[in-house]
Amino acid sequence: MFPEEVLEHVFSFLNSHTDRNTASLVCKSWYEMERWCRKRVFIGNCYAVNPRVVIRRFPEVKSVELKGKPHFADFNLVPEGWGGYVYPWIVEIARAYPWLEEIRLKRMVVTDECLEIVAKSFRNFRVLVLESCEGFSTDGLAAVAANCRNLRVLDLRECEVEELSGHWLSHFPDSFTSLESLNMACLGSEVSFSALERLVARSPNLKTLRLNRTVPIEKLSTLLQRAPQLVDFGTGAYSAEIRQDVYSRLADAFSRSKNLKSLSGFWDVTPAYLPAIYSVCSQLTSLNLSYAATRSPDLTKIVSQCYNLQRLVVLDYIEDTGLNTVSMSCKDLRELVVFPSDPFVGEVDVLLTEQGLVSVSQGCSKLQSVLYFCHQMSNSALISISKNRPNLTCFRLCIIEPRVPDYVTHEPLDVGFGSIVENCKQLTRLSMSGLLTDRVFEYIGTHAKNLDMLSIAFAGDSDLGLHHVLSGCDSLRKLEIRDCPFGDKALLANASKLEKMRSLWMSSCLVSFGACKLLGQKMPGLNVEVIDERENVNSLPEYVPVEKVYIYRTVSGQRFDTPDFVRIMGKDKDDLYNLS
Amino acid sequence: MATEGLGLEMTELRLGLPGGGGGEKKEKKRVLLDILGGDDGGGGKNRNTGVAVGWPPVCSYRKRAIIKMYVKVSMDGAPFLRKIDINGFKGYSDFIRALENLFGLGDECEYTPIYEDKDGDWMLVGDVPWEMFTETCKRLRMKKRV
């Protein structure tokens, strides 16, 4: 038996949550030892556990990370008011962890009151990351700015913020010099530029600065000059009438930014200003031009100089020709994201096809992660991609029109995606689209043994499809399905699998009220939430399919903050007595 | 014009936010639907248009940021049309306010906003979720209340 100090020292090398969880299961003394020295807690579903239970088990936590709404909330499939309120957590952790340093929240409802509590409760608070959160205003930000003396990171990623004023930034006191990272890209209101400039000037450790759209291009050089140590820079609106003096100052400032590795922003681009960044292209490991409505030639000129690029996020304006250049120039590329410039328009005037992706898969040997929107795909392209890049870990393909077959053979894309899962043995995340039958799910169940997250839409023929996935994918933790003909049989037959997963989302499928109720009754470790906004929902017969169902494992029982369109099935006393 | 004789006047529509007075709104919706014939079958799919909510999966933050969806807006009695980017708003309240500003309308509420969807049908603004509206609206009209 090791003495405690030795164990504690050994555990300090365990950084991943899974490793820590595994270590805690070895024996009682390891469990005890581990829980006292765990500093970071990650809760993937805020409703899976009660905050008090977490606090009781881990008394010395310095960092809390929580996720709320399911992923499909990003696409408006989760109605407003569903839940994901962080307030109960904030109240408990404010009481229990006065020395908490970090809070990271994703898809949660955060109010100004929450931010005020955070601002006033933690004396050594350092990191606030809010991703895809909503419910707060710039007043809440002002409270954080005014009170968190040791703040290092304020990172607002794609949040919905009520913009009362841009004055919040001016609440950082003059004595505040610890800022390392500021991401305000999602805010719409204008901040005082002089306050911003002074903040940047007195923050010697500032490494990340992502501005919002209102900071004009003329002011960028001033900020870059104030922070030559910047590693990650996000511009504001990158447009103005072309003026030689503004351009020269900007190009000069970029050329002096020797530490810059990541660029983003670039809203409303005036193409004539793009060459100002050429001097830093070869330094860049990450480039996000996905807000720049700029055409292929300009984009291609940029990427052709980004020899060290590891992550590229662009719009489909890059076209196949641009991606061909990427495949030849960006030999270190690990991640490619191509978003659609105009996803709702029928006619396609952008020359981006499956060929672009195939070229990148050929030329970029380190490519691991793909998110690609396009209008056509073929099985042969998918097979090529899988053979070129067996090291893929994340493959998300969105063919914009639902149920579109292989454009060459007019067959379903089963074989293509089958090839992906068969050849890419380390695949942990997959999103599929196009015409797909139950056959693709058979391939997935057979081969995708490391798959952690699967997203399915407008696919499959019958319950067999769902059954293949639930019974075959050993590592599956998150499954989200929309508009597929999957129903009760597969779900009920694989009920025990659901307790081994974080969550299952099914909307516009064929799962009935009765099946949801039965599942809720039989599986006490699951919350089966039926989300249904129909006015007559209470009078619908049990065999009718629900609009949406969200099933997740939990040790804290049902939640009590549900709106009227959410019903947690099978937990009522009446339901329990009516077990069939 | 498809809306003539649909009896819109009996539903007492205003240039205001939908949803004010819940029961009342449901009554109006049922009347309109009765007139148009049938319901939309639920399931998050806009009937007959083949448009599904939240597809393709582009998050709303990105949609607002990059996609400009300028549609024409006509107003009964105005000599020329205007254009408005329906994707520049977070929801109906911002949008209605912008429409009011576009035509210099105050609180008189003499006009009903209606829109032509992808089927060519004229619909009352405000019935469907905001995101669905932005995806299906082709043009707008400020119809004067009779």
Side-chain angles (χ1 to χ4, degrees):
Chain A
M1 251 348 238
F2 290 128
E4 279 184 6
E5 305 81 55
V6 176
L7 260 186
E8 190 175 340
H9 183 69
V10 170
F11 286 158
S12 70
F13 292 99
L14 294 178
N15 290 319
S16 93
H17 303 286
T18 19
D19 286 345
R20 284 232 162 213
N21 292 344
T22 310
S24 68
L25 293 173
V26 165
C27 63
K28 277 211 177 97
S29 69
W30 280 39
Y31 177 91
E32 276 302 305
M33 192 66 247
E34 195 284 316
R35 79 181 188 91
W36 277 98
C37 66
R38 191 177 303 209
K39 299 279 184 282
R40 323 177 62 90
V41 171
F42 167 73
I43 290 139
N45 175 4
C46 65
Y47 291 121
V49 67
N50 213 289
R52 291 195 183 178
V53 166
V54 175
I55 290 165
R56 204 167 41 233
R57 180 173 169 187
F58 301 114
E60 300 286 321
V61 162
K62 291 279 194 298
S63 158
V64 173
E65 185 176 346
L66 288 166
K67 293 187 179 181
K69 300 182 207 174
H71 174 234
F72 275 0
D74 289 354
F75 318 124
N76 297 299
L77 289 179
V78 178
E80 184 132 350
W82 171 83
Y85 306 106
V86 80
Y87 181 81
W89 284 87
I90 297 291
V91 163
E92 298 290 344
I93 65 181
R95 198 176 10 233
Y97 301 135
W99 294 102
L100 190 78
E101 295 175 1
E102 306 180 357
I103 293 176
R104 293 176 172 81
L105 306 175
K106 187 169 182 177
R107 289 192 205 97
M108 296 200 78
V109 178
V110 182
T111 59
D112 283 346
E113 196 184 347
C114 296
L115 292 177
E116 278 151 29
I117 297 173
V118 168
K120 306 228 168 100
S121 309
F122 308 113
R123 238 141 340 123
N124 199 23
F125 194 68
R126 296 179 177 202
V127 173
L128 183 63
V129 179
L130 302 177
E131 184 171 358
S132 303
C133 293
E134 44 151 0
F136 60 102
S137 77
T138 42
D139 282 356
L141 296 177
V144 170
N147 295 290
C148 299
R149 303 287 164 83
N150 294 311
L151 195 69
R152 309 265 203 269
V153 175
L154 179 60
D155 187 347
L156 308 171
R157 300 177 195 171
E158 302 190 4
C159 291
E160 296 265 351
V161 183
E162 195 190 343
E163 314 261 0
L164 298 175
S165 94
H167 199 58
W168 66 273
L169 188 92
S170 309
H171 285 256
F172 283 114
D174 290 337
S175 54
F176 172 69
T177 56
S178 53
L179 197 63
E180 293 175 10
S181 169
L182 176 63
N183 177 3
M184 42 180 256
C186 65
L187 297 180
S189 48
E190 193 175 341
V191 299
S192 148
F193 185 77
S194 60
L196 176 61
E197 189 186 347
R198 278 179 283 120
L199 176 63
V200 170
R202 66 176 186 274
S203 305
N205 296 318
L206 190 69
K207 297 282 192 306
T208 297
L209 179 63
R210 293 193 181 188
L211 305 170
N212 71 351
R213 229 161 164 161
T214 64
V215 179
I217 195 172
E218 299 89 38
K219 299 265 168 65
L220 295 183
S221 47
T222 310
L223 293 171
L224 284 171
Q225 277 152 18
R226 291 281 186 196
Q229 75 284 4
L230 271 184
V231 173
D232 180 329
F233 185 59
T235 75
Y238 203 73
S239 65
E241 247 177 64
I242 184 75
R243 276 174 47 192
Q244 194 51 44
D245 57 332
V246 171
Y247 177 87
S248 304
R249 264 205 306 275
L250 187 57
D252 190 58
F254 271 121
S255 69
R256 290 174 199 282
S257 302
K258 299 287 184 214
N259 296 296
L260 216 49
K261 290 225 165 67
S262 168
L263 273 183
S264 58
F266 299 103
W267 286 284
D268 310 323
V269 164
T270 301
Y273 276 110
L274 283 174
I277 69 168
Y278 284 174
S279 60
V280 292
C281 283
S282 59
Q283 295 162 207
L284 295 179
T285 54
S286 172
L287 179 61
N288 187 336
L289 288 167
S290 66
Y291 294 101
T294 256
R295 287 285 179 160
S296 178
D298 299 309
L299 290 176
T300 304
K301 273 217 202 84
I302 295 172
V303 296
S304 66
Q305 300 175 67
C306 296
Y307 311 121
N308 290 305
L309 206 60
Q310 295 179 17
R311 179 169 192 261
L312 178 64
V313 185
V314 281
L315 290 175
D316 55 9
Y317 289 134
I318 195 162
E319 299 189 335
D320 288 344
T321 46
L323 289 177
N324 197 38
T325 304
V326 169
S327 75
M328 292 188 300
S329 309
C330 310
K331 291 304 190 186
D332 214 17
L333 197 72
R334 320 281 163 102
E335 184 179 355
L336 175 70
V337 176
V338 180
F339 283 117
S341 51
D342 223 340
F344 304 108
V345 155
E347 322 86 57
V348 181
D349 75 335
V350 163
L351 293 166
L352 179 100
T353 68
E354 81 285 3
Q355 265 315 117
L357 185 56
V358 172
S359 334
V360 176
S361 75
Q362 254 157 11
C364 302
S365 64
K366 297 196 191 153
L367 187 71
Q368 286 181 306
S369 174
V370 171
L371 170 55
Y372 199 78
F373 284 78
C374 61
H375 291 271
Q376 67 184 40
M377 187 49 62
S378 66
N379 283 309
S380 70
L382 287 169
I383 293 169
S384 298
I385 292 164
S386 73
K387 291 197 168 139
N388 291 336
R389 292 278 62 77
N391 50 326
L392 283 174
T393 54
C394 169
F395 188 72
R396 298 159 70 188
L397 180 71
C398 179
I399 306 166
I400 289 175
E401 188 67 35
R403 300 197 186 92
V404 147
D406 178 323
Y407 78 98
V408 177
T409 65
H410 304 292
E411 294 193 337
L413 292 170
D414 300 337
V415 168
F417 279 105
S419 183
I420 294 275
V421 292
E422 199 177 346
N423 289 325
C424 306
K425 300 200 191 326
Q426 297 312 310
L427 200 69
T428 51
R429 185 164 181 189
L430 177 67
S431 300
M432 307 190 293
S433 52
L435 183 65
L436 297 163
T437 72
D438 282 348
R439 215 169 141 211
V440 74
F441 299 111
E442 195 181 343
Y443 293 140
I444 291 173
T446 307
H447 295 288
K449 295 306 182 186
N450 286 313
L451 200 63
D452 173 277
M453 182 170 180
L454 177 63
S455 310
I456 309 169
F458 305 102
D461 308 310
S462 74
D463 271 56
L464 204 51
L466 180 57
H467 176 70
H468 283 309
V469 171
L470 289 176
S471 57
C473 297
D474 300 331
S475 310
L476 195 66
R477 285 183 322 113
K478 289 172 280 182
L479 179 58
E480 46 186 26
I481 303 171
R482 62 163 298 172
D483 295 274
C484 296
F486 298 150
D488 302 345
K489 279 204 296 257
L491 201 60
L492 295 173
N494 291 284
S496 55
K497 169 74 173 183
L498 299 176
E499 265 183 349
K500 300 194 187 81
M501 293 167 55
R502 181 188 296 174
S503 65
L504 166 62
W505 169 280
M506 294 179 72
S507 56
S508 307
C509 297
L510 299 172
V511 179
S512 70
F513 282 96
C516 292
K517 190 160 96 173
L518 192 58
L519 197 59
Q521 285 165 352
K522 294 226 149 124
M523 309 292 293
L526 295 178
N527 274 355
V528 179
E529 294 195 4
V530 165
I531 301 164
D532 203 309
E533 292 176 284
R534 284 176 285 195
E535 283 155 28
N536 57 342
V537 67
N538 286 319
S539 54
L540 293 172
E542 291 212 335
Y543 57 79
V544 166
V546 303
E547 281 187 326
K548 302 166 188 181
V549 62
Y550 180 49
I551 302 165
Y552 53 89
R553 69 176 170 190
T554 177
V555 296
S556 71
Q558 62 171 308
R559 60 186 178 110
F560 295 101
D561 60 355
T562 50
D564 57 14
F565 56 80
V566 173
R567 293 162 67 198
I568 302 183
M569 307 294 282
K571 304 287 189 233
D572 299 333
K573 275 208 291 274
D574 291 345
D575 289 336
L576 289 173
Y577 290 137
N578 287 334
L579 272 174
S580 49
Chain B
M1 178 61 79
T3 46
E4 302 307 340
L6 275 185
L8 281 177
E9 52 280 1
M10 74 191 195
T11 57
E12 291 183 282
L13 303 171
R14 315 185 302 282
L15 183 63
L17 288 173
E24 193 190 34
K25 179 202 172 193
K26 288 170 189 169
E27 259 307 310
K28 285 183 223 163
K29 186 173 180 171
R30 222 173 299 141
V31 168
L32 258 181
L33 286 173
D34 286 344
I35 291 164
L36 297 170
D39 68 278
D40 71 338
K45 228 168 130 77
N46 199 358
R47 82 184 163 90
N48 298 334
T49 62
V51 168
V53 173
W55 189 268
V58 174
C59 69
S60 22
Y61 176 81
R62 171 162 295 281
K63 276 202 282 194
R64 274 198 306 276
I66 59 163
I67 296 159
K68 301 264 177 266
M69 287 158 88
Y70 281 102
V71 296
K72 292 182 187 171
V73 193
S74 59
M75 183 167 85
D76 291 352
F80 48 80
L81 279 61
R82 301 296 303 271
K83 267 202 158 172
I84 194 166
D85 173 19
I86 55 177
N87 216 25
F89 304 97
K90 293 186 182 176
Y92 282 115
S93 40
D94 284 351
F95 178 63
I96 299 282
R97 227 175 294 135
L99 276 181
E100 285 173 341
N101 287 337
L102 208 55
F103 291 105
L105 295 172
D107 288 325
E108 317 101 60
C109 305
E110 281 178 25
Y111 294 89
T112 306
I114 59 176
Y115 70 101
E116 184 182 7
D117 71 3
K118 289 188 168 161
D119 278 338
D121 296 323
W122 284 89
M123 318 285 289
L124 177 67
V125 168
D127 278 340
V128 301
W130 171 254
E131 294 291 336
M132 190 191 287
F133 167 71
T134 63
E135 290 166 20
T136 58
C137 170
K138 275 180 59 192
R139 55 189 298 162
L140 285 148
R141 178 181 158 202
M142 304 294 271
K143 182 174 153 59
K144 198 166 176 106
R145 286 184 61 200
V146 173

